[in-house]
Amino acid sequence: RDLLFANTALGRQSIAYKTVMEKEDSISAASVSEDMLNEHTGLIEFFNADSVTYAFVLNKKQPIQFIRYHANLSLAIDSMLYFFRSASAIGNQPLAYQEAAYDLYQILQFDQLDKGWPNLIIIPDGKLSFLPFDALITNTAFTVNLQQAKYFINQCNTLYGYSAAILLKQLHNDQSAGNSTTVFAPVFSNGENHQQPLQYSLQEAETIAANKNTTSFVKEKATLASFRQQFTHSGIMHIATHAYADTGANSNPKIEFID
């Protein structure tokens, strides 16, 4: 509500602002709801404004909902991300992890989302872009057996996007190449390229390859040259491999292929 009031006031005070907001590449909540959503799918888009984080929630069955988060959101995000900074953190402190993940679930007000949505499109912003929303915990039945934990992914399917505008544009783009899928899975069974084996990625690739119009490049075939060749011909590219964002000074982020 506060955001709508501010937007209306700015539009009255500044013709330039109003012009920008009404330009052709602007989109409305109605167009997002009409073209992207159905009664089984909701959308939540976050955005940061100075030190405050907001979100709006859309679904065909309900009016648009605005959320203004308190300052404790940032600390709660940090508390959960702490457990993803090493491979052993969650296993070493399973109860502490679940407590942090449940606290964030409540602070984000995900406990108030419609439980009837099997699908939720999440568009993060800022620090939330680092957050694995699937790993949020949905109730206080904490357990040392992490396989029995109540993860958000068990409540609904999560889909991610950069923005509602980009998702809408992709939806209307020419889909001539969109029916084809290419899968890359180096697997690294023998530690090739000094990488740890990804034993389940082969099963992952085989499961996806069972679909029509799918081409797979696994093990020794998952080369950089193959990736470059397929890049412009695939509607969807699924890459099951190691990747690194922080590779040291003067180094670019990288995705590992078999070579």
Side-chain angles (χ1 to χ4, degrees):
R1 184 183 62 185
D2 293 342
L3 184 63
L4 287 173
F5 286 157
N7 183 63
T8 301
L10 283 170
R12 290 173 178 169
Q13 296 173 18
S14 171
I15 295 177
Y17 175 83
K18 185 176 181 180
T19 301
V20 169
M21 295 304 294
E22 292 179 349
K23 63 182 181 179
E24 290 184 1
D25 58 355
S26 296
I27 63 171
S28 67
S31 63
V32 172
S33 180
E34 180 66 26
D35 294 347
M36 291 174 50
L37 305 180
N38 55 48
E39 60 182 6
H40 304 298
T41 304
L43 179 146
I44 182 168
E45 180 161 3
F46 298 91
F47 53 97
N48 294 325
D50 296 327
S51 59
V52 181
T53 299
Y54 298 89
F56 64 80
V57 183
L58 286 172
N59 178 255
K60 274 188 176 295
K61 297 185 296 183
Q62 301 170 346
I64 187 170
Q65 175 190 359
F66 279 92
I67 304 174
R68 183 183 189 275
Y69 295 105
H70 297 292
N72 61 345
L73 173 61
S74 181
L75 182 60
I77 296 171
D78 291 339
S79 296
M80 182 171 172
L81 289 179
Y82 162 80
F83 292 97
F84 291 88
R85 292 176 179 171
S86 71
S88 59
I90 294 178
N92 290 341
Q93 304 176 74
L95 298 180
Y97 159 70
Q98 291 168 78
E99 182 177 3
Y102 177 70
D103 287 346
L104 183 55
Y105 173 76
Q106 285 192 303
I107 290 172
L108 288 170
Q109 300 183 32
F110 273 28
D111 58 330
Q112 299 177 34
L113 295 178
D114 190 330
K115 302 301 191 299
W117 301 344
N119 308 300
L120 179 65
I121 301 172
I122 300 174
I123 301 175
D125 190 23
K127 195 184 294 184
L128 284 166
S129 301
F130 298 99
L131 187 70
F133 288 85
D134 313 273
L136 293 170
I137 298 295
T138 60
N139 65 39
T140 56
F142 303 154
T143 171
V144 294
N145 185 349
L146 288 167
Q147 291 185 344
Q148 297 178 357
K150 305 302 181 182
Y151 301 104
F152 185 59
I153 189 63
N154 300 131
Q155 180 175 305
C156 71
N157 301 313
T158 53
L159 304 93
Y160 296 90
Y162 289 109
S163 74
I166 291 176
L167 289 176
L168 197 60
K169 182 177 181 181
Q170 290 175 332
L171 186 66
H172 292 156
N173 278 349
D174 179 16
Q175 299 296 313
S176 58
N179 293 325
S180 65
T181 300
T182 306
V183 180
F184 285 86
V187 186
F188 306 111
S189 303
N190 300 311
E192 293 91 344
N193 207 15
H194 307 292
Q195 300 299 313
Q196 290 292 321
L198 294 170
Q199 57 179 329
Y200 294 110
S201 63
L202 182 59
Q203 180 182 351
E204 180 181 337
E206 291 172 346
T207 300
I208 298 171
N211 296 305
K212 295 181 180 179
N213 300 321
T214 300
T215 305
S216 295
F217 294 83
V218 300
K219 296 186 175 181
E220 70 277 359
K221 295 182 179 179
T223 64
L224 178 59
S226 296
F227 172 78
R228 286 173 169 162
Q229 183 182 31
Q230 294 295 317
F231 187 80
T232 57
H233 304 296
S234 301
I236 298 173
M237 303 198 76
H238 183 94
I239 307 170
T241 185
H242 293 290
Y244 305 92
D246 184 5
T247 57
N250 301 319
S251 297
N252 292 321
K254 59 183 178 179
I255 298 172
E256 293 289 349
F257 293 93
I258 195 68
D259 56 347

